[in-house]
Amino acid sequence: MNTAGPRDVPAGKGLELTPFRGLRYDPDRVGSLAAVTSPPYDVVVRPDGLLHLESADPHNIVRLILPQAATPAARNKQAANTLRRWLDEGVLRADTEPGLYIYEQRGNGLLQRGVIGALRVSQPSDGVVLPHEDVMPHVIADRAALMRATSANLEPLLLTYRGSGAATGAGAVIERTAERSPLLRTTTEDGFSHRLWAVTDPAEVAEIQSELAQHQALIADGHHRWATYLRLRAEHGSPSPWDYGLVLLVDTARYPLRVRAIHRLLHRLPVADALSALTDLFRVRDLAVPLPEALDALAEAAGHGNAYLLAGDGAFHLVDRPSPELLARTVPGDPPEAWRTLDATVLHRTLLEHLWRIPEDSPEHIAYIHDTAATVEKAERIGGTAVLMHPVREEVVRELARQGVTMPRKSTSFGPKPASGLVLRILTLTS
């Protein structure tokens, strides 16, 4: 059965993945490969997680993806200087020949394999790489400045496609390669093992490219970095190395991803004030239970409509059953029903914008955090409000992307995400 999708493309008009000379840590120059890796930049919980990674090894990749200095310009200059120094010292070394890279993650009963390469950047209107979330301009500006300063793609985006399950093509090369001895292997502190192989044989590279050229991809993680790729390609013109960006492509027909929620931390809104604004507009129930049980209650309520879990005052408050009249006034009626009924849509249009008057694009007012317990802990520490979300089903994400409808920013968290630091792409090494 052919499971290609979300939308078929003519042969040769789909994904164009090219080999590159990967930049990798020299294991003899660092304490351990696990100690120099990091989650993607937007998953690192700051400041605690950042400090933990910085102390793990003096060469941890977080010093490149999240440099620390007094001003944005100083941060980017520091990252560029650090990258240059590590290259000069041999901490990072470029592979001798271009290749595609097979990447495996295994842990918690999950196995994921995909291929890392330099993907030709394309606009959403081209129908090749489909976004499903809105983006924040200030984040794109920040990532663009870092990429300009370093002339590098420091961490891969996570994209998904739906393979055909054929006996040849990308999937077949991935499975054959996984039986060989890897370039590297390591186990990170979250218990996941990571293995990486290089595919340099021209016939195998062509086999991967031929299948991918028939498919389109969904951005699972990295919307802001993809938008940054687009901006930098436009700035530099074509042809240039900026025509391509570093990605990990995973066939979710073979290796389904997990979809988790991204939570909100409202820095300046106490829980009491948040709840008072909901009187007679939502049902609010106080839960005197631990976090796991509170999340179970959220999942049950989410099965019947929009539901959220508020925390930050030492308790959990289940918020659901919004007033239909309120939704009619605050949620636009034009987009598809699947978009109008999303928890993220109602949160942003009804709660944040209408009831709480919180600007969704201001880091001073709102933060987006993947870790549930960390969101609650930070809210309690600062006297703010944690808004815990229930994940969106993957089929809803794909259907909206197929229709060209973007979800509110930070609506989903697909995983497992690729570890940052295993392979980088420096744009001055194009062949």
Side-chain angles (χ1 to χ4, degrees):
M1 181 179 68
N2 191 330
T3 56
R7 184 176 67 198
D8 291 336
V9 295
K13 299 295 184 181
L15 300 163
E16 182 183 329
L17 195 68
T18 66
F20 69 104
R21 289 178 61 195
L23 195 66
R24 299 187 292 111
Y25 281 99
D26 182 341
D28 294 331
R29 302 299 302 272
V30 298
S32 73
L33 290 174
V36 295
T37 64
S38 165
Y41 81 97
D42 57 340
V43 181
V44 177
V45 178
R46 285 161 268 186
D48 297 348
L50 179 63
L51 295 173
H52 174 72
L53 290 165
E54 287 182 330
S55 63
D57 189 282
H59 301 107
N60 189 284
I61 192 68
V62 78
R63 286 180 166 79
L64 299 182
I65 63 175
L66 286 175
Q68 298 301 295
T71 67
R75 290 196 294 270
N76 296 327
K77 182 178 180 180
Q78 178 174 293
N81 290 339
T82 299
L83 177 58
R84 189 176 305 112
R85 185 176 69 254
W86 290 356
L87 287 167
D88 292 342
E89 295 173 351
V91 173
L92 288 169
R93 294 182 181 273
D95 287 332
T96 55
E97 57 182 321
L100 300 176
Y101 293 85
I102 305 306
Y103 176 47
E104 176 191 276
Q105 294 166 277
R106 187 191 297 264
N108 297 332
L110 183 146
L111 171 64
Q112 177 176 289
R113 290 174 179 154
V115 57
I116 296 175
L119 183 69
R120 179 175 287 278
V121 177
S122 60
Q123 294 285 351
S125 58
D126 296 330
V128 178
V129 176
L130 302 179
H132 69 267
E133 287 185 355
D134 291 335
V135 292
M136 293 173 276
H138 75 274
V139 177
I140 298 171
D142 174 76
R143 291 294 102 183
L146 179 63
M147 287 190 202
R148 285 192 208 98
T150 58
S151 291
N153 300 150
L154 300 171
E155 47 186 347
L157 286 66
L158 175 60
L159 306 184
T160 73
Y161 69 100
R162 302 287 290 179
S164 62
T168 60
V173 176
I174 289 172
E175 298 309 310
R176 291 198 304 266
T177 303
E179 296 177 357
R180 304 168 186 165
S181 179
L183 288 175
L184 64 84
R185 67 174 77 224
T186 189
T187 300
T188 45
E189 64 180 9
D190 60 4
F192 271 82
S193 66
H194 307 260
R195 296 197 295 170
L196 189 77
W197 299 260
V199 176
T200 57
D201 179 80
E204 291 192 319
V205 169
E207 188 175 350
I208 292 173
Q209 292 174 320
S210 178
E211 182 191 356
L212 292 179
Q214 303 174 43
H215 294 296
Q216 61 181 181
L218 175 75
I219 300 177
D221 184 70
H223 284 81
H224 289 92
R225 283 168 284 166
W226 185 258
T228 301
Y229 289 169
L230 287 167
R231 173 180 292 191
L232 293 173
R233 183 192 66 169
E235 289 179 2
H236 288 82
S238 294
S240 84
W242 298 94
D243 289 341
Y244 297 84
L246 186 63
V247 305
L248 165 64
L249 279 159
V250 174
D251 175 5
T252 53
R254 187 184 294 261
Y255 297 109
L257 298 183
R258 298 176 309 193
V259 186
R260 291 179 173 174
I262 302 176
H263 310 297
R264 276 64 171 162
L265 173 62
L266 310 181
H267 296 114
R268 300 182 178 180
L269 182 68
V271 174
D273 293 347
L275 293 173
S276 66
L278 307 184
T279 303
D280 298 327
L281 298 174
F282 284 78
R283 181 175 69 168
V284 178
R285 289 175 285 168
D286 298 333
L287 305 178
V289 297
L291 176 58
E293 294 181 33
L295 291 173
D296 288 342
L298 172 62
E300 197 281 329
H304 303 283
N306 301 119
Y308 314 90
L309 200 62
L310 272 55
D313 60 352
F316 296 105
H317 311 274
L318 184 60
V319 174
D320 65 352
R321 296 188 183 180
S323 160
E325 187 275 332
L326 174 67
L327 296 182
R329 284 191 292 113
T330 57
V331 177
D334 293 337
E337 181 181 2
W339 181 90
R340 298 196 308 270
T341 56
L342 287 170
D343 287 339
T345 298
V346 174
L347 172 63
H348 283 255
R349 295 305 182 98
T350 303
L351 291 168
L352 292 177
E353 181 179 325
H354 183 76
L355 296 179
W356 293 335
R357 307 289 183 180
I358 294 176
E360 62 178 349
D361 57 354
S362 171
E364 297 179 358
H365 291 86
I366 185 170
Y368 300 83
I369 303 178
H370 295 72
D371 186 275
T372 307
T375 310
V376 175
E377 189 276 329
K378 288 175 72 72
E380 292 179 345
R381 186 194 309 168
I382 66 174
T385 295
V387 182
L388 305 183
M389 309 279 287
H390 187 68
V392 183
R393 290 178 292 115
E394 182 177 358
E395 54 265 34
V396 173
V397 177
R398 290 190 178 278
E399 177 58 30
L400 288 173
R402 187 180 300 121
Q403 297 178 48
V405 178
T406 54
M407 300 165 64
R409 58 197 60 169
K410 300 293 184 181
S411 293
T412 59
S413 175
F414 283 85
K417 304 178 190 304
S420 298
L422 296 181
V423 62
L424 294 66
R425 174 178 178 252
I426 188 164
L427 276 72
T428 54
L429 295 173
T430 56
S431 63

